[in-house]
């Protein structure tokens, strides 16, 4: 039995975004315990040419919602990128999770050979078959941005570990 496009996407996106929300809870708890303003974490970046923490979270959300929408042939909801606090980022994650919950598995299954054209950078597009798009573009992109958000928090002293990344609130 082969894995379906829906089972390779929706539960993975839901889990990773839920775990990212858990990491935000841990960041807020750390800021509260150590009595610092959590907003300092929002613009932190690991290197001068990397995007800041807030953008890592927003891109993780956009990767999941846009990836699913492209595969399903649906219009992804447009979210304004105004979030700048932990509660706002958690709300963005929840909006994304709410959208993902509306996408029927049947809209994704069978899209393995569908041509998916998507933006790459500001001025280019790329086309891949659905399965390659999911496994070689969307999933790695999601993991990259969730991992980078994790790394930024960990680097700044938030007490998180691999279990938080993999299990979220179940850790």
């Amino acid at each position: 039995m082969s894995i379906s496009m829906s089972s390779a996407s929706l539960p993975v996106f839901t889990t990773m975004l839920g775990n990212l929300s858990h990491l935000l809870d841990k960041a807020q708890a750390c800021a509260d315990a150590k009595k610092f303003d959590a907003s300092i974490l929002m613009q932190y970046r690991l290197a001068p040419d990397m995007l800041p923490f807030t953008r890592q979270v927003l891109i993780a959300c956009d990767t999941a919602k846009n990836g699913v929408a492209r595969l399903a042939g649906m219009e992804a909801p447009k979210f304004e990128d105004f979030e700048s606090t932990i509660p706002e980022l958690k709300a963005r994650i929840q909006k994304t999770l709410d959208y993902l919950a509306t996408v029927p598995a049947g809209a994704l299954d069978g899209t393995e050979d569908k041509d998916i054209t998507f933006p790459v950078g500001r001025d280019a597009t790329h086309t891949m078959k659905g399965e390659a798009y999911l496994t070689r573009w969307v999933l790695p992109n999601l993991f990259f941005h969730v991992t980078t958000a994790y790394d930024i928090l960990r680097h700044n002293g938030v007490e998180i570990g691999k279990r938080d990344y993999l299990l979220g609130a179940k850790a």
Side-chain angles (χ1 to χ4, degrees):
M1 175 181 206
S2 63
I3 191 168
S4 70
M5 292 290 282
S6 62
S7 66
S9 58
L10 293 172
V12 177
F13 299 152
T14 300
T15 297
M16 293 311 297
L17 291 176
N19 294 356
L20 183 56
S21 184
H22 167 74
L23 296 176
L24 288 167
D25 290 337
K26 298 278 271 204
Q28 186 64 60
C30 176
D32 294 345
K34 295 182 178 181
K35 301 194 183 334
F36 68 86
D37 183 355
S39 68
I40 65 168
L41 297 171
M42 300 301 103
Q43 291 306 309
Y44 194 87
R45 57 185 80 213
L46 294 175
D49 64 344
M50 287 183 78
L51 294 171
F53 178 81
T54 299
R55 291 295 304 156
Q56 302 299 331
V57 175
L58 299 181
I59 292 171
C61 292
D62 289 349
T63 297
K65 77 175 173 70
N66 293 336
V68 164
R70 287 184 188 112
L71 287 166
M74 301 170 68
E75 185 74 27
K78 304 262 189 276
F79 298 154
E80 297 297 322
D81 293 339
F82 69 85
E83 295 85 356
S84 63
T85 66
I86 288 176
E88 290 170 348
L89 289 173
K90 286 183 60 68
R92 173 69 169 260
I93 292 169
Q94 189 58 55
K95 282 194 317 189
T96 305
L97 291 170
D98 292 345
Y99 167 69
L100 293 174
T102 70
V103 179
L108 298 169
D109 293 337
T111 61
E112 294 85 351
D113 293 321
K114 176 181 178 181
D115 284 332
I116 307 294
T117 300
F118 55 97
V120 178
R122 295 175 197 248
D123 302 321
T125 61
H126 189 71
T127 301
M128 300 172 85
K129 295 295 183 185
E131 182 178 12
Y133 172 67
L134 176 62
T135 61
R136 293 184 223 150
W137 186 267
V138 179
L139 288 169
N141 199 24
L142 176 74
F143 294 139
F144 175 86
H145 290 287
V146 173
T147 299
T148 302
Y150 169 94
D151 291 342
I152 289 170
L153 295 178
R154 179 77 188 249
H155 178 79
N156 280 282
V158 177
E159 294 180 17
I160 51 177
K162 186 176 181 180
R163 291 176 57 89
D164 295 295
Y165 177 88
L166 293 174
L167 299 173
K170 300 175 194 131

